[in-house]
Amino acid sequence: MPMDSSKWIDVNVEKNHYHLDHFVIPQHYEKDLSSILIPHGVIMDRVHKLARMIVDETTGPLVVCCILKGGHQYFADLVNCIKKLTTKGGKTIPLSLEFIRVKSYKNDKSDGVTISMTEEECRELEGKNVLIVEDIIDTGATMVKLLQKLDEYKPKSLKVTSLLIKKTTRSNGYVPDYVGFAIPDAFVVGYALDYNEYFRDLDHICVISDHGKEAYAIN
Ligand code: HPA
Ligand code: MG
């Protein structure tokens, strides 16, 4: 993945680690974070721009698919922005909303994903413009398999936006259509991204500390 792209904001450890004291964080996570990687205000400004790009490149109704649970905050803010941009006159894009839980599996014969949408709900996608909204692309494996599965239902178009993409050597090379930020290969939490279900109630995207990893580990 080329990292000098203007298609996303390159976040790196040298310039983008904010001290925890510089912003407000929930008291219950004070010891569990090592730094703030992307402050909430910057996330919101970026979401605004991503909404603008999506509106500019979309014609006709759009089915927006939220990938649960991590994608819910980005999905909610993005949909809000798209609505605002299209109610001021000018272009209008009717939206319908879908929510999917995705689980990867691997067995001796194949690997793939199971999704929480029913067969009937999937068939509804035929001929529609579909936009998948994800929190983070890490290896890319789950997204590639999800796209293969949804493609079988013959949507008119199938695009993906992910707020984050991780710069990792484990990547399979998959890059979404709309990306917010490329981040270092660290475990991040906040803005609905979790560590064992914790930290979803944190607005900034932060790097978890060793204390946090231990405190919320599953034993
Ligand atoms: N944080 C939260 N969830 C994730 C991450 C991460 O860094 N990578 C893949 N899923
Ligand atoms: Mg996710």
Side-chain angles (χ1 to χ4, degrees):
M1 180 177 37
M3 280 309 150
D4 55 351
S5 173
S6 62
K7 277 186 74 186
W8 50 71
I9 296 169
D10 183 37
V11 176
N12 61 61
V13 181
E14 294 73 43
K15 30 169 226 221
N16 299 89
H17 274 232
Y18 299 91
H19 197 276
L20 293 177
D21 289 340
H22 292 163
F23 296 93
V24 177
I25 56 163
Q27 244 179 38
H28 53 275
Y29 291 138
E30 252 166 19
K31 290 191 188 134
D32 305 319
L33 304 167
S34 59
S35 65
I36 295 168
L37 198 57
I38 316 173
H40 184 247
V42 177
I43 299 171
M44 295 305 284
D45 286 338
R46 183 63 180 154
V47 171
H48 192 173
K49 174 68 180 188
L50 290 161
R52 171 97 268 165
M53 293 194 289
I54 290 163
V55 167
D56 286 349
E57 292 176 18
T58 302
T59 41
L62 191 61
V63 182
V64 195
C65 288
C66 174
I67 306 298
L68 296 169
K69 298 179 185 175
H72 93 81
Q73 194 63 62
Y74 175 38
F75 173 88
D77 290 332
L78 185 71
V79 167
N80 264 340
C81 272
I82 295 174
K83 283 193 293 191
K84 277 190 200 138
L85 288 171
T86 57
T87 48
K88 283 185 194 145
K91 201 164 183 177
T92 154
I93 300 174
L95 302 179
S96 57
L97 312 181
E98 276 293 343
F99 298 85
I100 322 181
R101 292 199 76 160
V102 183
K103 283 202 169 74
S104 284
Y105 64 84
K106 220 181 181 104
N107 59 36
D108 51 348
K109 292 203 180 67
S110 67
D111 57 343
V113 287
T114 53
I115 62 175
S116 60
M117 276 170 85
T118 63
E119 184 65 24
E120 202 180 341
E121 286 168 331
C122 286
R123 277 202 234 106
E124 286 285 313
L125 299 178
E126 189 175 333
K128 307 256 174 77
N129 293 310
V130 176
L131 177 69
I132 299 173
V133 182
E134 176 67 295
D135 52 356
I136 185 164
I137 301 292
D138 194 316
T139 65
T142 302
M143 186 53 71
V144 166
K145 287 181 278 184
L146 176 64
L147 288 171
Q148 279 167 1
K149 190 173 184 88
L150 293 181
D151 214 36
E152 289 169 18
Y153 296 95
K154 302 201 168 36
K156 183 176 169 201
S157 69
L158 184 55
K159 288 190 173 182
V160 177
T161 178
S162 181
L163 184 67
L164 308 175
I165 189 167
K166 206 177 266 193
K167 295 176 275 185
T168 169
T169 53
R170 289 170 282 110
S171 164
N172 64 5
Y174 173 75
V175 177
D177 301 277
Y178 307 97
V179 175
F181 306 87
I183 62 160
D185 194 0
F187 200 82
V188 296
V189 293
Y191 197 69
L193 285 99
D194 75 309
Y195 171 71
N196 297 332
E197 297 300 326
Y198 290 91
F199 300 101
R200 294 200 201 271
D201 56 334
L202 167 71
D203 281 336
H204 313 295
I205 292 175
C206 297
V207 179
I208 191 170
S209 68
D210 289 339
H211 182 280
K213 276 187 196 163
E214 250 170 64
Y216 300 109
I218 295 175
N219 301 304

